[in-house]
Amino acid sequence: MSENYSESSIKVLEGLQAVRQRPGMYIGSTGVRGLHHLVYEVIDNSIDEAMAGYCKNISVILHVDGSVTVEDDGRGIPVGIHPTAKVSTLQVVLTVLHAGGKFDTNSYKTSGGLHGVGVSVVNALSESLTAVVQRDGGIFTQNFERGKPTGEVQRTGNSSKTGTKITFKPDGQIFETLELSYEILAKRFRELAYLNKGIKIKLIDERFDVSEEFHAEGGIPSFVKYINKTKNLIFDEPIYVKGESNNIIVELAIIYNDSYNENIYSYVNNIHTEEGGTHEAGFKAALTKAFNSYVTKNNLVKENNLSGEDIREGMSAVLSIKMTDPVFEGQTKTKLGSNNAKTAVESIVSPALQDYMEENGIIVKKILEKALQAYMAREAARKAKELTRRKSALERDSLPGKLADCHEKDPAKAEVFIVEGDSAGGSAKQGRNSDFQAILPLRGKILNVEKARLDKMLSSQEIRNMITAFGAGIGKDAFNPEKLRYHKIIIMTDADVDGAHIDTLLLTLFYRFMPELIFEGHVYIAMPPLYKAMPAKGKEQYLYDDKALEKYRKTHKGAFTLQRYKGLGEMDAEQLWETTLNPETRMLKQIEIEDARMASEVTELLMGTDVSPRRTFIYEHATEAELDV
């Protein structure tokens, strides 16, 4: 790769247009996810410099005023006059969509920010942005407001160092929230440190005076052990594979635990491919091929019915590939579509695993014993699934007895509320609009599916009721989203500890066994109010959280009484309709895959067999708890 990273390396494809008008096209949303995506876009540029071998240290600072600074010690964005744009290259990078070194393969062999929209979109969606570059013996600064430069690049000092520092303040005119989460950012930076061993990423939060440095010399084997820190492992050290085929670098770490779930965390150029893709398909094919070859060669398993799914039960794997010009399916880059990635991964992983198996027979035997148990459980689950299948959409008697169904036959217009308890269920049934709203009450907490195989899970009547009501089946082979009877599945529980517990268990169920519900945007959580403020004069007002109550107290002049709702059952049917059921006035939170994954991780942490991390979690979060008295 050429080290000549200069003004001519920056290729301009088109101008920056319509980003502020349609921000969701570029960053996914204007909510929490989109806000954090701004930080990811800036740090991705620094990571690209690290992957190219020019950056070792990155710092991210969350300032009290809501602005963010990302600084690296890379080569620094070029600042001279661009050969075709005839303005500073720094200005081109920050104001022109699809402008960047990622389009010049001599500058970057692999890159996460392949659409080239990153920092220019951040600039467009920021109230203000300041870029400070150190290179060519100088310090260069340029300021912007809502994507437009307020002046030209200025040389503001001398320096023998190199690097780029971007400080931006997300625009309140664009984003629904401006509150960045330390935990969400820390999770992403931890991933990046594991995926790029040797790099140091420091996160400093000046709002709460906390900081953390992420640095992982162990790379992805350390990553897969970290992911399994609360699990009981079948063997201690991960299986590790690394190789290169047709200019695609493949890294893989595998470990097995005693759970019944498989977890594959796949990445392409550091981008988390949540929906998998061709690289995952290549890995699964290689894994199955290697085991089948070993089993046949050693005549170990008499049954020839072990599937790839059986072999992957209890497996955790981190798969990271780095390649030029990956093809993603969809704007959000969550699924890889490059066929050459499948070929490369399979050609590297299959022989490497076969070599490992020849040298580690005891470990392979443990995995096969677990796979055999999975096969027997799968057969039991296949028979149990028949209990959940509806004979016909027209046979209403096949639906659960507790379900109060709606009249609407078009799933796109129908919604079902999963309600905690018969009391709230009664109010919800009276308060709903039965034309398009169905109600399914739950009796108590559902089974913790994080620790259950499919056959045991299907023995739960409450879970079977849900599956039958949804109408789409369950499990990888049987779930069919086209048969879904409601396109809005709304979890409606009390705003207390028990309600949060039920939310977590339900999201874990969907994440583990019906992830398509979440990927396709069908799952929501209702947000019932916590309070009703009743002033001596004026209109009553529902308040949905403590922040809203604090704001009401500051802005409302005069006396008022306050009613706190401890449960949905305390509301009559009319109040429940007005606050939580009516599409015109209610508040819903749409669940994204990260919400569900976090719920699953919390379930494992709080209900797993390892007591130590559970105790640590409770101590760390004790100040956030609210007594329900």
Side-chain angles (χ1 to χ4, degrees), residues 245-257:
S245 175
N246 294 324
N247 295 319
I248 297 177
I249 299 169
V250 177
E251 269 194 284
L252 171 70
I254 305 170
I255 207 158
Y256 276 77
N257 58 59

Side-chain angles (χ1 to χ4, degrees), residues 135-161:
R135 64 174 285 152
D136 304 328
I139 302 173
F140 304 88
T141 303
Q142 190 170 20
N143 298 306
F144 301 82
E145 290 182 359
R146 296 190 166 94
K148 297 179 180 178
T150 58
E152 296 181 353
V153 175
Q154 300 291 327
R155 182 168 181 147
T156 53
N158 300 318
S159 176
S160 59
K161 298 179 180 178

Side-chain angles (χ1 to χ4, degrees), residues 72-207:
D72 66 49
D73 59 357
R75 291 170 290 181
I77 299 172
V79 295
I81 300 299
H82 191 274
T84 58
K86 306 303 181 186
V87 296
S88 164
T89 304
L90 177 62
Q91 182 172 318
V92 171
V93 168
L94 285 161
T95 60
V96 179
L97 194 62
H98 297 307
K102 316 305 183 309
F103 297 106
D104 183 73
T105 55
N106 290 323
S107 300
Y108 293 98
K109 185 178 180 182
T110 62
S111 163
L114 280 169
H115 290 335
V117 302
V119 75
S120 60
V121 167
V122 175
N123 193 15
L125 301 179
S126 293
E127 177 184 315
S128 61
L129 183 146
T130 297
V132 179
V133 173
Q134 296 182 82
R135 64 174 285 152
D136 304 328
I139 302 173
F140 304 88
T141 303
Q142 190 170 20
N143 298 306
F144 301 82
E145 290 182 359
R146 296 190 166 94
K148 297 179 180 178
T150 58
E152 296 181 353
V153 175
Q154 300 291 327
R155 182 168 181 147
T156 53
N158 300 318
S159 176
S160 59
K161 298 179 180 178
T162 62
T164 302
K165 180 167 74 172
I166 302 288
T167 300
F168 67 95
K169 188 174 185 181
D171 195 344
Q173 295 178 8
I174 300 290
F175 291 96
E176 300 159 22
T177 177
L178 297 173
E179 192 74 23
L180 285 161
S181 164
Y182 181 92
E183 288 76 18
I184 291 174
L185 292 175
K187 183 177 184 293
R188 175 57 179 157
F189 298 164
R190 185 178 292 110
E191 279 183 343
L192 289 171
Y194 279 122
L195 293 168
N196 301 274
K197 66 178 182 179
I199 194 170
K200 292 181 181 178
I201 305 174
K202 188 163 189 179
L203 175 60
I204 302 167
D205 191 338
E206 295 179 344
R207 303 168 304 175

Side-chain angles (χ1 to χ4, degrees), residues 20 31 37 57-58 75 81 133 166 168 171 184 188 203 223 237 271 301 309 348 591 614:
R20 288 181 62 81
H37 195 82
N57 299 284
I58 303 170
R75 291 170 290 181
I81 300 299
V133 173
I166 302 288
F168 67 95
D171 195 344
I184 291 174
R188 175 57 179 157
L203 175 60
F223 192 9
E237 291 304 316
I271 298 166
V301 180
E309 187 178 343
I348 291 168
I591 295 300
R614 175 160 62 247

Side-chain angles (χ1 to χ4, degrees), residues 446-473:
I446 68 164
L447 178 73
N448 170 21
V449 302
E450 186 72 21
K451 299 190 293 183
R453 275 198 176 103
L454 184 60
D455 57 325
K456 182 180 178 183
M457 185 198 74
L458 289 172
S459 68
S460 163
Q461 184 65 52
E462 299 299 313
I463 291 177
R464 289 208 309 273
N465 285 346
M466 270 188 286
I467 297 166
T468 307
F470 297 168

Side-chain angles (χ1 to χ4, degrees), residues 129-396:
L129 183 146
T130 297
V132 179
V133 173
Q134 296 182 82
R135 64 174 285 152
D136 304 328
I139 302 173
F140 304 88
T141 303
Q142 190 170 20
N143 298 306
F144 301 82
E145 290 182 359
R146 296 190 166 94
K148 297 179 180 178
T150 58
E152 296 181 353
V153 175
Q154 300 291 327
R155 182 168 181 147
T156 53
N158 300 318
S159 176
S160 59
K161 298 179 180 178
T162 62
T164 302
K165 180 167 74 172
I166 302 288
T167 300
F168 67 95
K169 188 174 185 181
D171 195 344
Q173 295 178 8
I174 300 290
F175 291 96
E176 300 159 22
T177 177
L178 297 173
E179 192 74 23
L180 285 161
S181 164
Y182 181 92
E183 288 76 18
I184 291 174
L185 292 175
K187 183 177 184 293
R188 175 57 179 157
F189 298 164
R190 185 178 292 110
E191 279 183 343
L192 289 171
Y194 279 122
L195 293 168
N196 301 274
K197 66 178 182 179
I199 194 170
K200 292 181 181 178
I201 305 174
K202 188 163 189 179
L203 175 60
I204 302 167
D205 191 338
E206 295 179 344
R207 303 168 304 175
F208 305 107
D209 193 27
V210 293
S211 64
E212 197 169 352
E213 184 172 274
F214 305 98
H215 177 67
E217 286 293 348
I220 67 168
S222 297
F223 192 9
V224 82
K225 289 179 77 172
Y226 174 82
I227 292 168
N228 286 270
K229 64 183 183 296
T230 63
K231 307 280 201 331
N232 293 323
L233 299 178
I234 290 178
F235 51 93
D236 294 331
E237 291 304 316
I239 303 168
Y240 177 62
V241 175
K242 183 174 183 179
E244 183 171 350
S245 175
N246 294 324
N247 295 319
I248 297 177
I249 299 169
V250 177
E251 269 194 284
L252 171 70
I254 305 170
I255 207 158
Y256 276 77
N257 58 59
D258 64 357
S259 77
Y260 309 124
N261 305 305
E262 72 173 75
N263 285 298
I264 302 175
Y265 299 82
S266 63
Y267 300 83
V268 179
N269 298 348
N270 296 312
I271 298 166
H272 187 190
T273 41
E274 294 168 343
E275 295 184 77
T278 51
H279 55 329
E280 276 197 25
F283 162 54
K284 289 178 179 178
L287 185 74
T288 304
K289 180 180 178 182
F291 268 95
N292 284 337
S293 174
Y294 185 86
V295 165
T296 302
K297 182 179 178 181
N298 294 279
N299 196 28
L300 288 178
V301 180
K302 301 301 181 185
E303 293 88 348
N304 294 316
N305 295 315
L306 283 184
S307 69
E309 187 178 343
D310 297 327
I311 294 167
R312 296 192 301 272
E313 183 180 283
M315 180 194 74
S316 280
V318 175
L319 173 64
S320 174
I321 73 168
K322 298 192 176 157
M323 63 183 297
T324 306
D325 295 330
V327 176
F328 293 98
E329 296 180 12
Q331 178 70 19
T332 54
K333 305 183 190 177
T334 56
K335 188 173 184 179
L336 183 67
S338 304
N339 289 326
N340 57 337
K342 181 180 186 299
T343 305
V345 171
E346 193 167 353
S347 67
I348 291 168
V349 173
S350 185
L353 286 181
Q354 290 181 44
D355 290 345
Y356 177 89
M357 291 175 180
E358 291 298 330
E359 297 171 7
N360 297 273
I362 295 175
I363 290 175
V364 176
K365 185 179 178 183
K366 289 179 179 178
I367 297 172
L368 286 173
E369 286 173 353
K370 187 165 179 52
L372 202 54
Q373 292 173 358
Y375 162 73
M376 291 186 288
R378 179 165 57 86
E379 284 297 294
R382 181 180 59 79
K383 296 171 184 175
K385 275 182 186 177
E386 297 303 319
L387 298 173
T388 71
R389 298 184 194 276
R390 292 181 58 207
K391 296 177 183 177
S392 164
L394 298 175
E395 293 178 326
R396 313 301 288 179

